[in-house]
Amino acid sequence: MIPITVVDVRDAEDLVVEVLRSGAIAQGPMVKRFEDAFASVSGTKHAIAVNNGTTALVAAIQALDLKPGDEVVTSPFTFVATLNAILEAGATVRFADIRRDDFAIDPDAVAAVITDRTKVLMPVHLYGQTADMGKLAPLAAEHGLKVIEDSAQAVGASFEGKQAGSFGIGCFSLYATKNITTAEGGVITTDDDELADALRVLRNQGMRARYQYEVAGHNYRMTDLHAAVGIPQLEKLDQLTAARQANAKRLSEGLAGTPGLDIPQVLPGREHVWHQYTVLVGPHAFLSRDELAAALTEKGIGNGIYYPKIVFDYDCYRNNPLIPDAKVEDFPVAASVAAQALSLPVHPHLSESDLDTIIETVREVLGA
């Protein structure tokens, strides 16, 4: 089986052993070292490490001190953590449809759903390419909205030279399958000194110093063990990204012209870091998306459906007062993409032979 992803953190062994031998494994100097490195990568003044990507989103919203009824506009085509974080923070969710070319929220659709209760715009940089921040950032500024970027899949991505996570408040995931992983972990990025300070207090049970409580906080801390796993990957992020980009280029060249298959685009001005290589299996393809996924699995090609439904299209979200009037039919592009999207292996550990096999197998089962 050629896996959809590979986790290799062997370079972290020395740092992990260093932390273990120190006897201090909770948040400490290794977390600070990781934060400094991440801030450099993201092009921001501050990086605040937390225990996972969902926490990053929740904390970012909490730090903005939204009031009941305040709205967050986001994408209906995303991992459920985006929605869960907004609900956990007690905000009202508004969705805007996506664009098919970048899988991200459509600025025109956003403009149509903004109300006087809208306080936050939360674009999702999906699969490793940013949303259209050239239109979204000015739109947010025009309406006085805060921007929280769900950059979970986009570490190292950029729009016109500006890094994901630097347009407002950036929220990153460091889960095991991400381009940079600490097994579990997250990061919040910002240039705002006061916000960074508030987030650091919030993540530490509201303490500025031991037993000096300033707010009702939480335990959102990252451990030194987790930070030690991530530091060596940050140091070679450019190398890892270049390998993903080369693999994506090879896949796109090999799959171009496959009947019924739309290959992903790198849009002008954007650097794509290829967390996922996601094709769209159109209605005129020889096999449906689900049939193609099953055929590839049978032939030993790992693949993934990210994501099979619009994010709120599950029983547990129906009739939730914080998700008012959300109907699948109101988001036709997102619904279409959810029915067609299929991700193929693009990780840095693929060999030339692996790439050839993926291309040949996809073309074969689709009758090319």
Side-chain angles (χ1 to χ4, degrees):
M1 175 69 73
I2 299 174
I4 185 67
T5 190
V6 170
V7 179
D8 184 355
V9 294
R10 289 172 292 179
D11 288 350
E13 289 178 4
D14 290 345
L15 285 182
V16 171
V17 170
E18 181 182 329
V19 172
L20 291 172
R21 287 176 174 168
S22 76
I25 61 176
Q27 181 179 309
M30 201 67 74
V31 169
K32 177 62 166 62
R33 180 173 163 184
F34 178 83
E35 289 176 331
D36 290 344
F38 202 97
S40 178
V41 165
S42 64
T44 57
K45 192 172 180 180
H46 302 280
I48 300 93
V50 292
N51 53 8
N52 60 62
T54 308
T55 292
L57 291 167
V58 172
I61 301 170
Q62 290 173 332
L64 296 180
D65 195 26
L66 301 187
K67 302 298 186 289
D70 287 348
E71 298 173 353
V72 178
V73 176
T74 194
S75 170
F77 185 64
T78 180
F79 182 54
V80 72
T82 308
L83 175 55
N84 285 344
I86 299 170
L87 297 178
E88 183 175 340
T92 297
V93 189
R94 294 286 183 185
F95 294 104
D97 208 356
I98 66 171
R99 292 185 352 194
R100 189 177 174 91
D101 58 357
D102 63 5
F103 304 108
I105 199 166
D106 184 338
D108 293 335
V110 171
V113 300
I114 292 174
T115 73
D116 58 359
R117 299 297 314 207
T118 307
K119 303 300 179 184
V120 176
L121 172 58
M122 185 184 288
V124 180
H125 304 322
L126 205 62
Y127 302 143
Q129 183 166 225
T130 69
D132 187 352
M133 299 309 296
K135 292 183 178 179
L136 290 170
L139 180 63
E142 176 186 348
H143 291 275
L145 309 182
K146 297 293 186 181
V147 175
I148 297 177
E149 301 167 66
D150 186 337
S151 304
Q153 302 179 4
V155 60
S158 64
F159 183 92
E160 296 183 351
K162 190 172 173 61
Q163 295 294 310
S166 67
F167 289 87
I169 306 171
C171 295
F172 295 83
S173 171
L174 306 171
Y175 180 64
T177 58
K178 296 299 190 290
N179 293 25
I180 296 293
T181 179
T182 58
E184 287 281 9
V187 180
I188 309 167
T189 55
T190 180
D191 287 324
D192 187 318
D193 295 343
E194 291 185 6
L195 179 64
D197 180 69
L199 286 165
R200 291 188 175 105
V201 171
L202 182 64
R203 75 172 171 186
N204 191 34
Q205 298 289 11
M207 291 189 292
R208 181 167 300 281
R210 191 164 180 81
Y211 303 131
Q212 179 186 335
Y213 301 102
E214 296 190 356
V215 297
H218 306 268
N219 178 2
Y220 289 159
R221 297 184 299 267
M222 176 185 280
T223 71
D224 268 18
L225 279 173
H226 287 87
V229 172
I231 289 170
Q233 296 167 66
L234 283 175
E235 293 172 348
K236 60 178 183 179
L237 178 60
D238 288 347
Q239 173 188 339
L240 294 170
T241 299
R244 287 178 177 272
Q245 290 170 336
N247 291 345
K249 184 174 184 290
R250 177 73 183 88
L251 289 170
S252 291
E253 290 171 346
L255 294 173
T258 303
L261 197 71
D262 288 345
I263 59 176
Q265 304 177 46
V266 181
L267 297 180
R270 307 190 209 187
E271 181 166 9
H272 202 317
V273 296
W274 297 105
H275 172 63
Q276 298 291 350
Y277 183 91
T278 302
V279 299
L280 294 175
V281 186
H284 303 299
F286 182 70
L287 298 177
S288 69
R289 187 271 310 278
D290 291 351
E291 290 170 338
L292 175 59
L296 293 177
T297 299
E298 183 178 348
K299 291 179 177 293
I301 307 296
N303 59 87
I305 297 173
Y306 312 112
Y307 300 96
K309 289 185 176 184
I310 285 179
V311 69
F312 60 79
D313 190 21
Y314 296 89
D315 287 344
C316 58
Y317 297 113
R318 303 194 200 286
N319 303 315
N320 189 313
L322 295 179
I323 316 176
D325 305 321
K327 302 179 181 65
V328 171
E329 55 267 28
D330 291 336
F331 308 100
V333 181
S336 173
V337 168
Q340 297 178 11
L342 182 69
S343 296
L344 304 173
V346 74
H347 56 80
H349 304 283
L350 294 168
S351 67
E352 287 296 321
S353 176
D354 290 335
L355 292 165
D356 288 341
T357 300
I358 294 167
I359 292 165
E360 291 166 4
T361 305
V362 170
R363 291 182 63 83
E364 175 190 345
V365 297
L366 286 179

